[in-house]
Amino acid sequence: MTHRKVFKGAEFLITDVSPADVFTPEDFTDEHRMILDTARDFVKNEIAPKMDSIEAKDQGVVRDILSSAGELGFNSTDIPEEYGGMGLDKVSTTVVTEALGSAGSFAVSYGAHTGIGTLPIVYFGTHEQKQKYLPGLASGELCGAYCLTEANAGSDALNARTKAVLSEDGKHYILNGEKMFITNAGWADTFIVYAKVNGEEFTSFILERGFQGLSTGAEEKKMGIHGSSTRTVILEDVHVPVENVLHQVGKGHQVAFNILNIGRWKLGAAAVGGCKQCIEEATKYANGRIQFKQPISKFGLIQSKLAEMSIRTFMAESMIYRTAGMFDDQLGTLNEEDKKDGGKNATAIGEYAIECSINKVYGSEVLSYVVDEFVQVLGGYGYISEYPAERAYRDSRIGRIYEGTNEINRLLVPGTLMRRAMKGELPLMSVVQNLMAEVMEYSPLAVELPDSPLALQEHMIRMMKKTALMVAGVAAQKFLQNLEREQELLALISDMVIEIFAMESGLLRALKVLDKYGAEKAQPYVDAVEVYVNDAVLKIETWAKQALAHIEEGETLRTQLVLVKKLCRYQPIDTLALRRRLAERITQLEKYPFELR
């Protein structure tokens, strides 16, 4: 893999990033492309024909597919070779996750198994634990589940009431409690369970279905993802061998939160796969649906929908693979001995907690938008269960809830950013201090941009970074330690940061395509970025004004609003024409239009 700069988490806010320093799908190796094609064929040939059985929760079918996925190596991209895995890079994991993301309910079962059900052992397990469990998880012989949520411990995971008490002979921990909404609970063999030792020390354990006292409740009747198993896991005096403590007693939060970080990023990757499938099916329908003597794909409002669905998916895809590259770069700094150390893995993974939350929020919300428009393109047929849009619409809704609600993740973005700044891990405060004087002197009329594609968009992204940092700095100065109570304000800051990461990821990718393939092939990429940045600037300006109006008043507010107006000065472009041009390409290809082969 090409050497790239190793960035700190959230460093993109204060640093100009070069296209050469981000990974994009255009950087796929031949192996990556082969894995992607194989995974897509697997979904098409092995999963799609069995979707009715999957939706009916046919455990035998689901487990057979999981075993078949194991034979192809899809379950084990993150598992080291010495434990029966493939030991591949995070880009390969993303490729498989994206492809399987179009597999309906099976994608949920698969994601829980290969992600949060397996990775705790990969990153935090002892050699003996890895030897015992990972080969079976890799092959699909074993199915994994992750048990964190409780009735009184959802987003507040550390409020868990499940208790673990050491037995008198010191050989077992005795667990009591209930975990709810557990994916794969009905057919899982291994369970990563969190409990408080002596009611205080939050700790992770590996449990097996055969442990006496472990049982599951009835299947939950869900709005969507009907083919996945979701049950309560009940623990009644379950004796867990002390050697099944995962990581260290009292350090369960390191396991839980760092694995959730990866889960959030993988959820974003799966969402991209779902989006691409919806775009393809919506386009084929629009081309075939004749109204007023022509395909509805010729109508401007349908074209606008197809274009916008693809543009947002392009931004999500760009940030997902950018983050995958960052993971590979960061984990690549560890030597082989460090990779066996759970604490060092936690540090490496946790570096990109902000980017993982961004991926989760953005990916899940793009999928929600795309499936909604998918239904709309199909019209009445989109509301009928025989057509795939209806199921996709219901299935997508959970994405904004699990792996941490989008509200929690929105709070994590600025919260983590501020904590890192206070610890000196990110020179955010010094940048903000220098920014105010710079903004006061800034004159948008004096800026001369090079005559090159996307120069204006690149400039506006820099201005949006300054806008977000200014608002964050003013908010921190105003509220100090009470800032965490200002959730609506934090959400506005978070939305600005999310949009910046999205449009910069798209921009860097488009510039890379432009340099590598030339203007003609890069045109759709350039069009997408121009449309997206145009709309994002308007949104960020509005959010900045809303935030400042809450923070300040009087002359101070008026001064700050003038600064925002200067930073956000921008003449809108003709996005209608650009969307039409993109829609023409989409309807010709009858699929997602940003894949160069």
Side-chain angles (χ1 to χ4, degrees), residues 166-172:
L166 189 64
S167 61
E168 290 185 4
D169 61 10
K171 294 181 178 181
H172 296 84

Side-chain angles (χ1 to χ4, degrees), residues 116 254-267 327 346 349-357 359-360 403 409 412 420:
I116 55 180
Q254 290 186 353
V255 182
F257 297 149
N258 284 292
I259 294 304
L260 283 177
N261 284 332
I262 293 185
R264 287 161 183 160
W265 154 67
K266 294 183 87 173
L267 189 152
F327 268 123
I349 295 166
E351 182 64 40
Y352 301 115
I354 290 172
E355 286 81 358
C356 290
S357 287
N359 282 309
K360 193 272 181 182
E403 305 290 0
N409 277 282
L412 285 173
R420 289 191 174 174

Side-chain angles (χ1 to χ4, degrees), residues 277-278 281-282 371 374-375 378 381-382 384-395:
Q277 182 71 17
C278 291
E281 295 187 12
V371 297
F374 183 21
V375 171
L378 268 62
Y381 292 109
I384 304 301
S385 60
E386 283 83 357
Y387 289 78
E390 185 266 351
R391 176 174 52 78
Y393 185 87
R394 289 184 291 100
D395 286 352

